[in-house]
Amino acid sequence: MIGEGFEELLGAARSGDASALEALYRDLAPGVLGYLRAQGAAEPEDLASDVFVGVVRGLASFRGSESDLRAWVFTIAHRRLVDERRRLGRRREAPVSPDDLPSLAGRAVGDVEEEAMAGLERDRVRRMLEGLSADQRAVVLLRILGGLSVAEVARVLGKRQGAVKMLQRRGFARLARTLSPERVG
Protein backbone atom coordinates (compact mmCIF):
# COMPACT_ATOMS: atom_id res chain seq x y z
CA MET A 1 0.00 0.00 0.00
CA ILE A 2 1.17 3.47 -0.84
CA GLY A 3 -0.10 5.22 2.26
CA GLU A 4 0.40 8.82 3.26
CA GLY A 5 1.58 10.27 -0.06
CA PHE A 6 -1.28 8.78 -2.07
CA GLU A 7 -2.91 12.05 -3.15
CA GLU A 8 0.39 13.49 -4.39
CA LEU A 9 1.26 10.25 -6.17
CA LEU A 10 -2.16 10.10 -7.80
CA GLY A 11 -1.89 13.72 -8.94
CA ALA A 12 1.53 13.07 -10.44
CA ALA A 13 0.29 9.92 -12.17
CA ARG A 14 -2.67 11.81 -13.62
CA SER A 15 -0.28 14.34 -15.11
CA GLY A 16 1.71 11.53 -16.75
CA ASP A 17 4.69 11.39 -14.39
CA ALA A 18 6.44 8.13 -15.31
CA SER A 19 7.80 7.46 -11.82
CA ALA A 20 4.34 7.93 -10.26
CA LEU A 21 2.76 5.60 -12.80
CA GLU A 22 5.52 3.08 -12.12
CA ALA A 23 4.89 3.32 -8.36
CA LEU A 24 1.19 2.61 -8.86
CA TYR A 25 2.03 -0.28 -11.18
CA ARG A 26 4.55 -1.79 -8.74
CA ASP A 27 2.00 -1.61 -5.94
CA LEU A 28 -0.95 -3.05 -7.85
CA ALA A 29 0.46 -5.32 -10.58
CA PRO A 30 1.48 -8.32 -8.44
CA GLY A 31 -2.02 -8.67 -7.00
CA VAL A 32 -3.71 -8.14 -10.37
CA LEU A 33 -1.45 -10.66 -12.08
CA GLY A 34 -1.95 -13.17 -9.26
CA TYR A 35 -5.72 -12.74 -9.50
CA LEU A 36 -5.72 -13.25 -13.27
CA ARG A 37 -3.44 -16.30 -13.05
CA ALA A 38 -5.45 -17.90 -10.28
CA GLN A 39 -8.66 -17.27 -12.23
CA GLY A 40 -7.18 -19.23 -15.13
CA ALA A 41 -6.72 -16.39 -17.61
CA ALA A 42 -5.37 -17.74 -20.89
CA GLU A 43 -2.70 -15.03 -21.15
CA PRO A 44 -2.51 -13.42 -17.68
CA GLU A 45 0.47 -11.17 -18.47
CA ASP A 46 -1.20 -9.80 -21.61
CA LEU A 47 -4.46 -9.32 -19.76
CA ALA A 48 -2.69 -7.52 -16.91
CA SER A 49 -1.10 -5.21 -19.48
CA ASP A 50 -4.56 -4.45 -20.86
CA VAL A 51 -5.76 -3.72 -17.33
CA PHE A 52 -3.04 -1.15 -16.77
CA VAL A 53 -3.61 0.45 -20.17
CA GLY A 54 -7.20 0.91 -19.01
CA VAL A 55 -6.01 2.29 -15.69
CA VAL A 56 -3.76 4.87 -17.36
CA ARG A 57 -6.55 5.89 -19.75
CA GLY A 58 -9.10 6.26 -16.97
CA LEU A 59 -6.88 7.75 -14.28
CA ALA A 60 -7.84 11.34 -15.09
CA SER A 61 -11.49 10.64 -14.32
CA PHE A 62 -10.87 8.49 -11.23
CA ARG A 63 -11.99 10.00 -7.93
CA GLY A 64 -11.54 8.36 -4.56
CA SER A 65 -9.20 7.04 -1.91
CA GLU A 66 -6.37 4.56 -2.20
CA SER A 67 -8.79 1.81 -1.27
CA ASP A 68 -11.18 3.01 -3.98
CA LEU A 69 -8.33 2.95 -6.50
CA ARG A 70 -7.47 -0.65 -5.61
CA ALA A 71 -11.14 -1.66 -5.99
CA TRP A 72 -11.37 0.22 -9.31
CA VAL A 73 -8.26 -1.51 -10.69
CA PHE A 74 -9.57 -4.95 -9.68
CA THR A 75 -12.93 -4.09 -11.23
CA ILE A 76 -11.13 -3.42 -14.51
CA ALA A 77 -9.20 -6.70 -14.12
CA HIS A 78 -12.38 -8.66 -13.45
CA ARG A 79 -14.16 -7.12 -16.43
CA ARG A 80 -11.20 -7.81 -18.74
CA LEU A 81 -11.21 -11.42 -17.52
CA VAL A 82 -14.93 -11.77 -18.25
CA ASP A 83 -14.37 -10.23 -21.71
CA GLU A 84 -11.52 -12.68 -22.38
CA ARG A 85 -13.67 -15.64 -21.41
CA ARG A 86 -16.46 -14.48 -23.70
CA ARG A 87 -14.03 -13.95 -26.57
CA LEU A 88 -12.40 -17.35 -26.08
CA GLY A 89 -15.83 -18.97 -25.80
CA ARG A 90 -16.67 -17.72 -29.28
CA ARG A 91 -13.29 -18.63 -30.76
CA ARG A 92 -12.08 -22.05 -29.76
CA GLU A 93 -8.35 -22.31 -29.30
CA ALA A 94 -6.20 -25.18 -28.18
CA PRO A 95 -3.63 -23.54 -25.91
CA VAL A 96 -0.25 -25.21 -25.70
CA SER A 97 1.27 -25.71 -22.29
CA PRO A 98 4.76 -24.26 -21.89
CA ASP A 99 5.81 -27.76 -20.79
CA ASP A 100 4.97 -29.02 -24.29
CA LEU A 101 7.21 -26.49 -26.02
CA PRO A 102 10.77 -27.50 -26.89
CA SER A 103 13.30 -26.13 -24.45
CA LEU A 104 14.96 -22.94 -25.55
CA ALA A 105 18.63 -23.24 -26.47
CA GLY A 106 20.97 -21.22 -24.32
CA ARG A 107 18.37 -20.70 -21.62
CA ALA A 108 19.76 -19.96 -18.21
CA VAL A 109 19.12 -22.83 -15.82
CA GLY A 110 18.04 -22.08 -12.28
CA ASP A 111 17.89 -24.25 -9.21
CA VAL A 112 16.05 -27.35 -10.43
CA GLU A 113 14.89 -28.40 -6.96
CA GLU A 114 13.57 -24.92 -6.21
CA GLU A 115 11.75 -24.74 -9.55
CA ALA A 116 10.26 -28.20 -9.03
CA MET A 117 9.02 -27.34 -5.54
CA ALA A 118 7.54 -24.04 -6.75
CA GLY A 119 5.81 -25.90 -9.58
CA LEU A 120 4.35 -28.45 -7.16
CA GLU A 121 3.11 -25.68 -4.88
CA ARG A 122 1.51 -23.80 -7.80
CA ASP A 123 -0.20 -27.01 -8.92
CA ARG A 124 -1.46 -27.66 -5.39
CA VAL A 125 -2.88 -24.14 -5.09
CA ARG A 126 -4.44 -24.41 -8.57
CA ARG A 127 -6.12 -27.72 -7.64
CA MET A 128 -7.43 -26.25 -4.40
CA LEU A 129 -8.87 -23.23 -6.20
CA GLU A 130 -10.45 -25.47 -8.84
CA GLY A 131 -12.43 -27.06 -5.99
CA LEU A 132 -14.22 -23.76 -5.42
CA SER A 133 -17.13 -22.44 -7.43
CA ALA A 134 -16.27 -19.59 -9.80
CA ASP A 135 -17.92 -17.05 -7.47
CA GLN A 136 -16.17 -18.44 -4.37
CA ARG A 137 -12.82 -18.37 -6.17
CA ALA A 138 -13.35 -14.77 -7.30
CA VAL A 139 -14.28 -13.64 -3.78
CA VAL A 140 -11.38 -15.45 -2.11
CA LEU A 141 -8.85 -14.14 -4.64
CA LEU A 142 -10.11 -10.55 -4.50
CA ARG A 143 -10.05 -10.62 -0.70
CA ILE A 144 -6.58 -12.21 -0.44
CA LEU A 145 -4.67 -11.08 -3.52
CA GLY A 146 -6.56 -7.85 -4.06
CA GLY A 147 -6.73 -6.93 -0.41
CA LEU A 148 -10.26 -5.66 -1.00
CA SER A 149 -12.94 -5.27 1.65
CA VAL A 150 -16.23 -7.15 1.47
CA ALA A 151 -17.94 -3.98 0.23
CA GLU A 152 -15.31 -3.49 -2.48
CA VAL A 153 -15.56 -7.12 -3.61
CA ALA A 154 -19.34 -6.73 -3.77
CA ARG A 155 -18.92 -3.71 -6.07
CA VAL A 156 -16.37 -5.47 -8.29
CA LEU A 157 -18.54 -8.56 -8.73
CA GLY A 158 -21.91 -6.78 -8.74
CA LYS A 159 -23.17 -8.75 -5.74
CA ARG A 160 -24.66 -7.87 -2.35
CA GLN A 161 -22.30 -7.76 0.63
CA GLY A 162 -24.22 -10.58 2.32
CA ALA A 163 -23.71 -12.78 -0.73
CA VAL A 164 -19.98 -11.98 -0.74
CA LYS A 165 -19.71 -12.87 2.96
CA MET A 166 -21.49 -16.17 2.35
CA LEU A 167 -19.29 -17.00 -0.67
CA GLN A 168 -16.19 -16.14 1.34
CA ARG A 169 -17.26 -18.25 4.31
CA ARG A 170 -18.09 -21.25 2.11
CA GLY A 171 -14.92 -20.83 0.03
CA PHE A 172 -12.66 -20.64 3.07
CA ALA A 173 -14.48 -23.61 4.66
CA ARG A 174 -13.89 -25.69 1.52
CA LEU A 175 -10.22 -24.66 1.43
CA ALA A 176 -9.87 -25.57 5.11
CA ARG A 177 -11.33 -29.03 4.47
CA THR A 178 -8.89 -29.45 1.58
CA LEU A 179 -5.97 -28.50 3.80
CA SER A 180 -6.89 -30.60 6.83
CA PRO A 181 -5.14 -33.97 7.04
CA GLU A 182 -7.08 -37.06 6.21
CA ARG A 183 -8.74 -38.55 9.23
CA VAL A 184 -8.17 -42.14 10.15
CA GLY A 185 -11.44 -43.61 11.31
Side-chain angles (χ1 to χ4, degrees), residues 42-113:
E43 297 290 337
E45 290 83 4
D46 291 347
L47 204 53
S49 294
D50 288 345
V51 168
F52 284 98
V53 167
V55 168
V56 170
R57 286 183 179 154
L59 208 51
S61 63
F62 171 78
R63 299 288 177 260
S65 66
E66 183 176 352
S67 175
D68 294 330
L69 176 72
R70 185 170 288 283
W72 178 65
V73 170
F74 276 91
T75 299
I76 294 170
H78 181 73
R79 289 180 180 163
R80 293 290 196 283
L81 180 66
V82 169
D83 290 345
E84 177 190 72
R85 288 179 176 159
R86 286 182 184 142
R87 183 180 50 78
L88 291 176
R90 289 188 301 265
R91 188 182 80 202
R92 295 288 174 199
E93 295 179 357
V96 177
S97 167
D99 298 333
D100 295 337
L101 297 174
S103 61
L104 301 172
R107 185 176 89 154
V109 178
D111 183 339
V112 175
E113 181 180 1

Side-chain angles (χ1 to χ4, degrees), residues 5-17:
F6 173 73
E7 289 298 326
E8 294 79 28
L9 182 68
L10 183 60
R14 283 184 177 139
S15 67
D17 180 285

